[in-house]
Coordinates of all heavy atoms in Angstrom, one line a residue:
M3 N 70.3 250.5 -52.1 CA 71.8 250.5 -51.9 C 72.4 250.2 -53.2 O 73.5 250.8 -53.5 CB 72.1 249.4 -50.9 CG 71.9 249.8 -49.5 SD 72.4 248.6 -48.3 CE 71.0 247.6 -48.2
M4 N 71.9 249.3 -54.0 CA 72.5 248.9 -55.3 C 72.5 250.1 -56.2 O 73.5 250.4 -56.9 CB 71.7 247.7 -55.9 CG 71.9 246.4 -55.2 SD 71.0 245.1 -56.0 CE 72.4 244.4 -57.0
R5 N 71.4 250.8 -56.3 CA 71.3 252.0 -57.1 C 72.3 253.1 -56.7 O 72.8 253.7 -57.6 CB 69.8 252.5 -57.1 CG 69.5 253.5 -58.2 CD 68.0 253.9 -58.2 NE 67.1 252.9 -57.7 CZ 66.2 253.1 -56.7 NH1 66.1 254.2 -56.1 NH2 65.4 252.1 -56.3
R6 N 72.5 253.3 -55.4 CA 73.3 254.3 -55.0 C 74.8 253.9 -54.7 O 75.6 254.7 -54.3 CB 72.7 255.0 -53.7 CG 71.4 255.7 -54.1 CD 70.9 256.4 -52.9 NE 69.6 257.0 -53.2 CZ 68.6 257.3 -52.4 NH1 68.8 256.9 -51.1 NH2 67.5 257.9 -52.8
G7 N 75.0 252.6 -54.8 CA 76.4 252.1 -54.7 C 77.0 252.1 -53.3 O 78.1 252.4 -53.1
Y8 N 76.2 251.8 -52.2 CA 76.7 251.8 -50.9 C 76.1 250.5 -50.2 O 75.2 249.9 -50.6 CB 76.3 253.0 -50.1 CG 74.9 253.1 -49.7 CD1 74.5 252.7 -48.4 CD2 73.9 253.6 -50.5 CE1 73.2 252.8 -48.0 CE2 72.6 253.6 -50.1 CZ 72.2 253.2 -48.9 OH 70.9 253.3 -48.5
F9 N 76.7 250.2 -49.1 CA 76.3 249.0 -48.3 C 76.3 249.4 -46.8 O 77.4 249.4 -46.2 CB 77.2 247.8 -48.5 CG 76.7 246.6 -47.8 CD1 75.6 245.9 -48.3 CD2 77.4 246.1 -46.7 CE1 75.1 244.7 -47.6 CE2 76.9 244.9 -46.1 CZ 75.8 244.3 -46.5
A10 N 75.2 249.9 -46.3 CA 75.2 250.3 -44.9 C 73.7 250.4 -44.4 O 72.8 250.3 -45.2 CB 75.8 251.7 -44.8
H11 N 73.5 250.4 -43.1 CA 72.2 250.4 -42.6 C 71.4 251.6 -42.8 O 70.2 251.5 -43.0 CB 72.2 250.1 -41.1 CG 72.7 248.7 -40.8 ND1 71.8 247.6 -40.9 CD2 73.8 248.2 -40.4 CE1 72.5 246.5 -40.6 NE2 73.7 246.8 -40.3
G12 N 72.0 252.8 -42.8 CA 71.2 254.0 -43.0 C 70.3 254.3 -41.8 O 70.5 253.7 -40.7
N13 N 69.2 255.0 -42.0 CA 68.3 255.4 -41.0 C 67.1 254.5 -40.9 O 66.1 254.8 -41.5 CB 67.9 256.9 -41.1 CG 67.2 257.4 -39.9 OD1 66.6 256.7 -39.2 ND2 67.2 258.7 -39.8
L14 N 67.3 253.4 -40.2 CA 66.2 252.4 -40.2 C 64.9 252.9 -39.6 O 63.8 252.7 -40.1 CB 66.7 251.2 -39.3 CG 65.6 250.1 -39.1 CD1 65.2 249.5 -40.4 CD2 66.2 249.0 -38.2
L15 N 65.0 253.7 -38.5 CA 63.8 254.3 -37.9 C 63.0 255.2 -38.8 O 61.8 255.1 -38.9 CB 64.2 255.0 -36.6 CG 63.0 255.6 -35.8 CD1 62.0 254.5 -35.5 CD2 63.5 256.3 -34.6
A16 N 63.7 256.0 -39.6 CA 63.1 256.9 -40.6 C 62.3 256.0 -41.6 O 61.2 256.4 -42.0 CB 64.1 257.8 -41.2
R17 N 62.9 254.9 -42.1 CA 62.3 254.1 -43.0 C 61.0 253.4 -42.4 O 60.0 253.3 -43.1 CB 63.2 253.0 -43.6 CG 64.2 253.5 -44.6 CD 64.8 252.4 -45.4 NE 65.3 251.2 -44.6 CZ 66.5 251.2 -44.0 NH1 67.3 252.3 -44.1 NH2 66.9 250.2 -43.3
M18 N 61.1 253.0 -41.2 CA 60.0 252.4 -40.6 C 58.8 253.4 -40.4 O 57.7 253.0 -40.7 CB 60.4 251.8 -39.2 CG 61.4 250.7 -39.2 SD 60.8 249.2 -40.1 CE 61.7 249.4 -41.6
V19 N 59.1 254.6 -40.0 CA 58.1 255.6 -39.9 C 57.5 255.9 -41.3 O 56.3 256.0 -41.5 CB 58.7 256.9 -39.3 CG1 57.8 258.1 -39.4 CG2 59.1 256.6 -37.8
R20 N 58.4 256.0 -42.3 CA 57.9 256.3 -43.7 C 56.9 255.3 -44.2 O 55.9 255.6 -44.9 CB 59.1 256.5 -44.6 CG 58.6 256.9 -46.0 CD 59.8 257.2 -46.9 NE 60.5 256.0 -47.3 CZ 61.8 255.8 -47.4 NH1 62.6 256.8 -47.1 NH2 62.3 254.7 -47.8
F21 N 57.1 254.0 -43.8 CA 56.2 252.9 -44.3 C 55.2 252.6 -43.2 O 54.6 251.5 -43.3 CB 57.1 251.7 -44.7 CG 57.8 252.0 -46.0 CD1 59.2 252.2 -45.9 CD2 57.2 252.0 -47.2 CE1 59.9 252.5 -47.1 CE2 57.9 252.2 -48.3 CZ 59.3 252.5 -48.3
H22 N 55.0 253.4 -42.2 CA 54.0 253.2 -41.2 C 54.1 251.9 -40.4 O 53.1 251.3 -40.1 CB 52.6 253.4 -41.8 CG 52.4 254.6 -42.7 ND1 52.3 255.8 -42.1 CD2 52.4 254.8 -44.0 CE1 52.2 256.7 -43.1 NE2 52.3 256.1 -44.2
V23 N 55.3 251.5 -40.2 CA 55.5 250.3 -39.4 C 55.5 250.7 -37.9 O 56.2 251.6 -37.5 CB 56.9 249.6 -39.7 CG1 57.1 248.4 -38.9 CG2 56.9 249.3 -41.2
R24 N 54.7 250.0 -37.2 CA 54.6 250.3 -35.7 C 55.4 249.3 -34.9 O 55.6 248.2 -35.3 CB 53.1 250.3 -35.3 CG 52.3 251.5 -35.8 CD 50.9 251.4 -35.4 NE 50.3 250.5 -36.3 CZ 49.0 250.0 -36.2 NH1 48.4 250.3 -35.1 NH2 48.5 249.2 -37.0
G25 N 55.8 249.8 -33.8 CA 56.6 248.9 -32.9 C 57.5 249.7 -32.0 O 57.6 250.9 -32.2
T26 N 58.1 249.1 -31.0 CA 59.0 249.7 -30.1 C 60.5 249.2 -30.3 O 61.4 249.7 -29.7 CB 58.6 249.6 -28.7 OG1 58.5 248.1 -28.4 CG2 57.3 250.2 -28.4
L27 N 60.6 248.2 -31.2 CA 61.9 247.6 -31.4 C 62.1 247.3 -32.9 O 61.2 246.7 -33.5 CB 61.9 246.2 -30.7 CG 63.2 245.4 -30.7 CD1 64.4 246.1 -30.1 CD2 63.0 244.0 -30.0
F28 N 63.2 247.8 -33.5 CA 63.5 247.7 -34.9 C 64.9 247.2 -35.0 O 65.8 247.7 -34.4 CB 63.3 249.0 -35.6 CG 61.9 249.6 -35.5 CD1 61.7 250.6 -34.6 CD2 60.8 249.1 -36.2 CE1 60.4 251.1 -34.4 CE2 59.6 249.6 -36.0 CZ 59.4 250.6 -35.1
E29 N 65.1 246.3 -35.9 CA 66.4 245.8 -36.2 C 66.5 245.5 -37.7 O 65.5 245.4 -38.4 CB 66.7 244.4 -35.5 CG 66.7 244.5 -34.0 CD 68.0 245.3 -33.5 OE1 69.0 245.4 -34.2 OE2 67.9 245.7 -32.3
E30 N 67.8 245.4 -38.2 CA 68.0 245.2 -39.6 C 69.2 244.3 -39.8 O 70.2 244.5 -39.2 CB 68.2 246.5 -40.4 CG 68.5 246.3 -41.9 CD 68.6 247.7 -42.5 OE1 69.5 248.5 -42.2 OE2 67.8 247.9 -43.5
N31 N 69.1 243.3 -40.7 CA 70.2 242.5 -41.1 C 70.5 242.7 -42.6 O 69.5 242.8 -43.4 CB 69.9 241.0 -40.9 CG 70.1 240.5 -39.5 OD1 70.5 241.3 -38.6 ND2 69.7 239.3 -39.2
L32 N 71.7 242.9 -43.0 CA 72.1 243.0 -44.3 C 73.2 242.0 -44.7 O 74.0 241.6 -43.9 CB 72.8 244.4 -44.6 CG 72.0 245.7 -44.1 CD1 72.9 246.9 -44.3 CD2 70.8 245.8 -44.9
V33 N 73.2 241.6 -46.0 CA 74.2 240.7 -46.5 C 74.3 240.9 -48.0 O 73.2 241.2 -48.6 CB 74.0 239.2 -46.1 CG1 72.8 238.7 -46.8 CG2 75.2 238.4 -46.5
W34 N 75.5 240.8 -48.6 CA 75.5 240.8 -50.1 C 76.5 239.8 -50.5 O 77.4 239.4 -49.8 CB 75.8 242.2 -50.6 CG 77.2 242.7 -50.6 CD1 77.9 243.3 -49.6 CD2 78.1 242.6 -51.7 NE1 79.2 243.6 -50.0 CE2 79.3 243.2 -51.3 CE3 78.0 242.1 -53.0 CZ2 80.5 243.2 -52.1 CZ3 79.2 242.1 -53.8 CH2 80.3 242.7 -53.4
S35 N 76.4 239.4 -51.8 CA 77.3 238.4 -52.3 C 77.3 238.6 -53.8 O 76.3 239.0 -54.5 CB 76.8 237.0 -52.0 OG 77.6 236.0 -52.6
S36 N 78.4 238.3 -54.4 CA 78.5 238.3 -55.9 C 77.7 237.1 -56.4 O 77.5 236.1 -55.7 CB 79.9 238.2 -56.4 OG 80.5 237.0 -55.9
G37 N 77.1 237.3 -57.5 CA 76.2 236.2 -58.1 C 74.8 236.3 -57.4 O 74.5 237.3 -56.8
V38 N 74.1 235.2 -57.6 CA 72.7 235.1 -57.0 C 72.8 234.4 -55.7 O 73.3 233.3 -55.6 CB 71.8 234.4 -58.0 CG1 70.4 234.2 -57.4 CG2 71.7 235.1 -59.3
L39 N 72.4 235.1 -54.6 CA 72.5 234.5 -53.3 C 71.1 233.9 -52.9 O 70.1 234.7 -52.9 CB 72.9 235.6 -52.3 CG 73.0 235.2 -50.8 CD1 74.1 234.1 -50.6 CD2 73.3 236.4 -50.0
A40 N 71.1 232.6 -52.7 CA 69.8 232.0 -52.3 C 69.5 232.4 -50.8 O 70.4 232.7 -50.0 CB 69.9 230.5 -52.4
A41 N 68.2 232.3 -50.5 CA 67.8 232.6 -49.1 C 68.6 231.8 -48.1 O 69.0 232.3 -47.0 CB 66.3 232.3 -48.9
Q42 N 68.8 230.5 -48.3 CA 69.6 229.7 -47.4 C 71.0 230.2 -47.1 O 71.5 230.2 -46.0 CB 69.7 228.2 -47.9 CG 68.4 227.5 -48.1 CD 67.8 227.7 -49.5 OE1 68.0 228.7 -50.1 NE2 67.0 226.7 -49.9
G43 N 71.6 230.8 -48.2 CA 73.0 231.4 -48.0 C 72.9 232.6 -47.2 O 73.8 232.8 -46.3
A44 N 71.9 233.5 -47.4 CA 71.8 234.7 -46.5 C 71.6 234.3 -45.1 O 72.3 234.9 -44.2 CB 70.7 235.6 -47.0
V45 N 70.7 233.4 -44.8 CA 70.4 233.0 -43.4 C 71.6 232.3 -42.8 O 72.0 232.6 -41.6 CB 69.2 232.1 -43.4 CG1 69.0 231.5 -42.0 CG2 67.9 232.9 -43.8
A46 N 72.3 231.5 -43.6 CA 73.5 230.8 -43.0 C 74.6 231.9 -42.6 O 75.2 231.8 -41.6 CB 74.1 229.9 -44.1
D47 N 74.8 232.9 -43.5 CA 75.7 234.0 -43.1 C 75.3 234.7 -41.9 O 76.1 234.9 -41.0 CB 75.8 235.0 -44.3 CG 76.6 234.5 -45.5 OD1 77.2 233.4 -45.4 OD2 76.6 235.1 -46.5
W48 N 74.0 235.0 -41.7 CA 73.6 235.7 -40.5 C 73.7 234.8 -39.3 O 74.0 235.3 -38.2 CB 72.1 236.2 -40.7 CG 72.0 237.3 -41.7 CD1 72.9 238.3 -42.0 CD2 70.8 237.6 -42.5 NE1 72.4 239.1 -42.9 CE2 71.1 238.7 -43.2 CE3 69.6 236.9 -42.7 CZ2 70.2 239.3 -44.1 CZ3 68.7 237.5 -43.6 CH2 69.0 238.7 -44.3
M49 N 73.4 233.5 -39.4 CA 73.4 232.6 -38.3 C 74.9 232.5 -37.8 O 75.1 232.1 -36.6 CB 72.8 231.3 -38.6 CG 71.3 231.3 -38.8 SD 70.4 231.9 -37.3 CE 70.5 230.4 -36.3
A50 N 75.9 232.7 -38.7 CA 77.3 232.5 -38.3 C 77.8 233.8 -37.6 O 78.9 233.8 -37.0 CB 78.1 232.3 -39.6
S51 N 77.0 234.8 -37.6 CA 77.4 236.1 -36.9 C 76.6 236.3 -35.6 O 75.3 236.3 -35.7 CB 77.1 237.3 -37.9 OG 77.1 238.5 -37.1
P52 N 77.2 236.4 -34.5 CA 76.5 236.4 -33.2 C 75.4 237.6 -33.2 O 74.3 237.3 -32.7 CB 77.5 236.7 -32.2 CG 78.8 236.0 -32.7 CD 78.7 236.3 -34.2
T53 N 75.7 238.7 -33.7 CA 74.8 239.8 -33.6 C 73.6 239.6 -34.6 O 72.5 239.9 -34.2 CB 75.4 241.2 -33.8 OG1 76.1 241.2 -35.1 CG2 76.4 241.5 -32.7
H54 N 73.9 239.1 -35.8 CA 72.8 238.9 -36.7 C 72.0 237.7 -36.3 O 70.7 237.7 -36.4 CB 73.4 238.6 -38.1 CG 74.1 239.8 -38.7 ND1 75.4 240.0 -38.6 CD2 73.5 240.9 -39.4 CE1 75.7 241.1 -39.2 NE2 74.6 241.7 -39.7
R55 N 72.6 236.7 -35.7 CA 71.9 235.5 -35.2 C 70.9 236.0 -34.1 O 69.7 235.5 -34.0 CB 72.9 234.5 -34.6 CG 72.2 233.3 -34.0 CD 73.3 232.4 -33.4 NE 72.8 231.2 -32.8 CZ 72.5 230.1 -33.4 NH1 72.8 229.9 -34.7 NH2 72.0 229.1 -32.7
E56 N 71.4 236.8 -33.2 CA 70.5 237.3 -32.1 C 69.3 238.0 -32.7 O 68.2 237.8 -32.1 CB 71.3 238.3 -31.2 CG 70.6 238.9 -30.1 CD 71.4 239.8 -29.2 OE1 72.6 239.9 -29.4 OE2 70.8 240.5 -28.4
T57 N 69.4 238.8 -33.7 CA 68.3 239.5 -34.3 C 67.3 238.4 -34.9 O 66.1 238.5 -34.7 CB 68.8 240.4 -35.4 OG1 69.6 241.5 -34.9 CG2 67.6 241.1 -36.2
L58 N 67.8 237.5 -35.6 CA 67.0 236.4 -36.2 C 66.2 235.7 -35.2 O 65.0 235.3 -35.5 CB 67.8 235.4 -37.1 CG 68.4 235.9 -38.4 CD1 69.2 234.8 -39.0 CD2 67.2 236.3 -39.3
L59 N 66.8 235.4 -34.1 CA 66.1 234.6 -33.1 C 65.4 235.3 -32.0 O 64.8 234.7 -31.1 CB 67.2 233.7 -32.4 CG 67.9 232.7 -33.4 CD1 69.0 231.9 -32.6 CD2 67.0 231.8 -34.1
D60 N 65.4 236.6 -32.1 CA 64.7 237.5 -31.0 C 63.2 237.2 -31.1 O 62.5 237.6 -32.1 CB 65.0 238.9 -31.2 CG 64.5 239.8 -30.1 OD1 63.5 239.5 -29.5 OD2 65.2 240.8 -29.9
P61 N 62.5 236.7 -30.1 CA 61.1 236.4 -30.2 C 60.2 237.7 -30.1 O 59.1 237.6 -30.4 CB 60.8 235.5 -28.9 CG 61.9 235.9 -28.0 CD 63.1 236.2 -28.9
N62 N 60.8 238.8 -29.8 CA 60.1 240.0 -29.8 C 60.0 240.7 -31.1 O 59.1 241.6 -31.3 CB 60.8 241.0 -28.8 CG 60.8 240.5 -27.4 OD1 59.7 240.3 -26.8 ND2 62.0 240.3 -26.8
L63 N 60.7 240.2 -32.1 CA 60.7 240.7 -33.5 C 59.7 239.9 -34.2 O 60.0 238.8 -34.7 CB 62.1 240.8 -34.1 CG 63.0 241.7 -33.4 CD1 64.4 241.5 -33.9 CD2 62.6 243.2 -33.6
R64 N 58.5 240.3 -34.4 CA 57.4 239.5 -34.9 C 57.0 239.8 -36.4 O 56.3 239.0 -37.0 CB 56.2 239.6 -34.1 CG 56.4 239.1 -32.7 CD 55.2 239.2 -31.8 NE 55.5 238.8 -30.5 CZ 55.1 237.5 -30.0 NH1 54.5 236.7 -30.8 NH2 55.4 237.2 -28.8
R65 N 57.6 240.9 -36.9 CA 57.3 241.2 -38.3 C 58.6 241.4 -39.1 O 59.6 241.9 -38.5 CB 56.5 242.5 -38.4 CG 55.1 242.3 -37.8 CD 54.2 243.6 -37.9 NE 54.8 244.8 -37.3 CZ 54.8 245.1 -36.0 NH1 54.3 244.2 -35.2 NH2 55.3 246.2 -35.6
I66 N 58.6 241.0 -40.4 CA 59.8 241.1 -41.2 C 59.4 241.6 -42.6 O 58.4 241.2 -43.1 CB 60.6 239.8 -41.2 CG1 61.9 239.9 -42.0 CG2 59.7 238.7 -41.7 CD1 62.8 238.7 -41.9
G67 N 60.3 242.4 -43.1 CA 60.2 242.7 -44.6 C 61.5 242.4 -45.2 O 62.6 242.8 -44.6
V68 N 61.5 241.8 -46.3 CA 62.8 241.4 -47.0 C 62.8 241.9 -48.4 O 61.8 241.8 -49.1 CB 62.9 239.8 -47.0 CG1 64.2 239.4 -47.7 CG2 62.9 239.3 -45.5
G69 N 64.0 242.4 -48.8 CA 64.3 242.7 -50.2 C 65.5 242.1 -50.6 O 66.5 241.9 -49.8
A70 N 65.6 241.6 -51.8 CA 66.8 240.9 -52.3 C 66.9 241.1 -53.8 O 66.8 240.2 -54.6 CB 66.7 239.4 -52.0
P71 N 67.3 242.3 -54.2 CA 67.5 242.6 -55.6 C 68.8 242.0 -56.1 O 69.7 241.8 -55.4 CB 67.5 244.1 -55.7 CG 68.0 244.5 -54.4 CD 67.4 243.5 -53.4
V72 N 68.8 241.7 -57.4 CA 70.0 241.1 -58.1 C 70.3 242.1 -59.2 O 69.5 242.5 -60.0 CB 69.7 239.7 -58.7 CG1 70.9 239.2 -59.4 CG2 69.3 238.8 -57.5
G73 N 71.6 242.4 -59.3 CA 72.1 243.3 -60.4 C 73.5 243.7 -60.1 O 74.2 243.1 -59.3
P74 N 74.0 244.7 -60.9 CA 75.4 245.1 -60.7 C 75.6 245.8 -59.4 O 74.8 246.6 -59.0 CB 75.6 246.0 -61.9 CG 74.3 246.4 -62.4 CD 73.3 245.4 -62.0
F75 N 76.7 245.5 -58.7 CA 77.0 246.1 -57.4 C 78.4 245.9 -57.1 O 79.0 244.8 -57.2 CB 76.1 245.4 -56.3 CG 76.3 246.0 -54.9 CD1 75.8 247.3 -54.7 CD2 76.9 245.4 -53.9 CE1 75.9 247.9 -53.4 CE2 77.0 245.9 -52.7 CZ 76.5 247.2 -52.4
S76 N 79.0 247.0 -56.6 CA 80.4 246.9 -56.0 C 81.4 246.3 -56.9 O 82.2 245.4 -56.5 CB 80.4 246.3 -54.6 OG 81.6 246.5 -54.0
G77 N 81.3 246.6 -58.2 CA 82.3 246.0 -59.2 C 81.9 244.7 -59.7 O 82.6 244.1 -60.6
C78 N 80.8 244.1 -59.2 CA 80.4 242.8 -59.7 C 79.3 243.0 -60.8 O 78.3 243.8 -60.5 CB 79.8 241.9 -58.6 SG 81.0 241.5 -57.3
A79 N 79.3 242.3 -61.9 CA 78.3 242.4 -62.9 C 76.9 241.9 -62.3 O 75.9 242.4 -62.7 CB 78.7 241.6 -64.1
T80 N 77.0 240.9 -61.5 CA 75.8 240.3 -60.9 C 76.1 240.1 -59.4 O 77.0 239.4 -59.0 CB 75.4 239.0 -61.5 OG1 75.2 239.2 -62.9 CG2 74.1 238.5 -60.9
A81 N 75.2 240.7 -58.6 CA 75.3 240.5 -57.1 C 73.9 240.5 -56.5 O 73.0 241.0 -57.2 CB 76.1 241.7 -56.5
T82 N 73.8 240.0 -55.3 CA 72.6 240.1 -54.6 C 72.8 240.8 -53.3 O 73.7 240.6 -52.6 CB 72.1 238.6 -54.2 OG1 72.0 237.9 -55.4 CG2 70.7 238.7 -53.6
V83 N 71.9 241.8 -53.0 CA 72.0 242.5 -51.8 C 70.7 242.2 -51.0 O 69.6 242.5 -51.5 CB 72.1 244.1 -52.0 CG1 72.0 244.8 -50.7 CG2 73.4 244.4 -52.7
V84 N 70.8 241.6 -49.8 CA 69.6 241.2 -49.1 C 69.5 242.1 -47.8 O 70.4 242.3 -47.1 CB 69.7 239.8 -48.6 CG1 68.4 239.4 -47.9 CG2 69.9 238.8 -49.8
T85 N 68.3 242.7 -47.7 CA 67.9 243.5 -46.5 C 66.8 242.9 -45.8 O 65.7 242.6 -46.5 CB 67.5 245.0 -47.0 OG1 68.6 245.5 -47.7 CG2 67.3 245.8 -45.8
A86 N 66.9 242.6 -44.6 CA 65.8 242.1 -43.8 C 65.5 243.1 -42.6 O 66.4 243.3 -41.8 CB 66.1 240.7 -43.2
D87 N 64.4 243.7 -42.6 CA 64.0 244.7 -41.6 C 63.0 244.0 -40.7 O 62.0 243.5 -41.1 CB 63.4 246.0 -42.2 CG 64.5 246.8 -42.9 OD1 65.7 246.6 -42.7 OD2 64.1 247.6 -43.8
F88 N 63.2 244.1 -39.4 CA 62.4 243.5 -38.4 C 61.7 244.5 -37.5 O 62.3 245.5 -37.2 CB 63.2 242.6 -37.5 CG 64.0 241.5 -38.2 CD1 65.2 241.8 -38.8 CD2 63.5 240.2 -38.3 CE1 65.9 240.8 -39.5 CE2 64.2 239.3 -39.0 CZ 65.4 239.5 -39.6
A89 N 60.5 244.2 -37.0 CA 59.8 245.1 -36.1 C 59.1 244.3 -35.0 O 58.7 243.2 -35.3 CB 58.8 246.0 -36.9
G90 N 58.9 244.9 -33.9 CA 58.2 244.2 -32.8 C 58.3 245.1 -31.6 O 58.4 246.3 -31.7
G91 N 58.1 244.5 -30.4 CA 58.2 245.2 -29.2 C 58.3 244.3 -28.0 O 58.2 243.1 -28.1
R92 N 58.7 244.9 -26.9 CA 58.9 244.1 -25.7 C 57.8 244.3 -24.7 O 57.1 245.3 -24.7 CB 60.2 244.5 -25.0 CG 61.4 244.1 -25.9 CD 62.7 244.5 -25.2 NE 63.7 244.5 -26.2 CZ 64.6 243.6 -26.4 NH1 64.6 242.5 -25.7 NH2 65.5 243.7 -27.4

């Protein structure tokens, strides 16, 4: 997202297939902030949002992959974009 200058979920299922992630349930949480965003800040933002909180607390989502690059983004010289992809099944 940082390289291409956008902030959106995109095709999560296609990414999961490309990386051979198995499961029947996939979710994704995104957050970005100017400056360096600590993990606690990202989780606090997600916990304050009902839909993101639901994803974090879903017991069926047992695997997670996280990316948190820091660099120029959306007019900020330094920003952090955090992507958390979850997989599991019911």
